[in-house]
Amino acid sequence: MNATEWAEAQRSQAKLDALTAQLADREAKKEHDLSAACDDCAVDRDQVPGPETDLARKPTPRHRPASRRRSRGR
């Protein structure tokens, strides 16, 4: 291998190292974003009342019956 080939190999290795570093940075960012999203889900899940509190409160009616008041026209 002569000096020109050696220099080209060094440049190729430097490019490969730069691309590898970029890929590692992107993967680290994706992992961080995924971890943050999981943490947000866990916080949201922790704020939902558990089934034991749901049983203690009075259920709300699904519909209200129409008024049975007599009309004045009768």
Side-chain angles (χ1 to χ4, degrees):
M1 180 179 280
N2 64 28
T4 306
E5 292 171 338
W6 178 253
E8 182 60 33
Q10 292 296 325
R11 280 192 294 274
S12 294
Q13 186 63 46
K15 286 180 183 179
L16 179 60
D17 291 345
L19 289 173
T20 302
Q22 285 179 4
L23 180 60
D25 288 344
R26 286 181 186 172
E27 287 179 355
K29 183 182 182 321
K30 285 181 181 180
E31 185 175 334
H32 176 267
D33 292 347
L34 180 60
S35 178
C38 287
D39 290 345
D40 290 346
C41 269
V43 168
D44 290 345
R45 183 191 65 230
D46 292 342
Q47 291 176 355
V48 173
E52 62 279 353
T53 58
D54 288 344
L55 295 175
R57 70 173 195 227
K58 186 176 179 180
T60 56
R62 297 208 180 262
H63 63 85
R64 298 192 186 276
S67 175
R68 296 185 182 246
R69 194 172 58 182
R70 293 184 181 171
S71 71
R72 293 182 178 215
R74 287 189 168 175

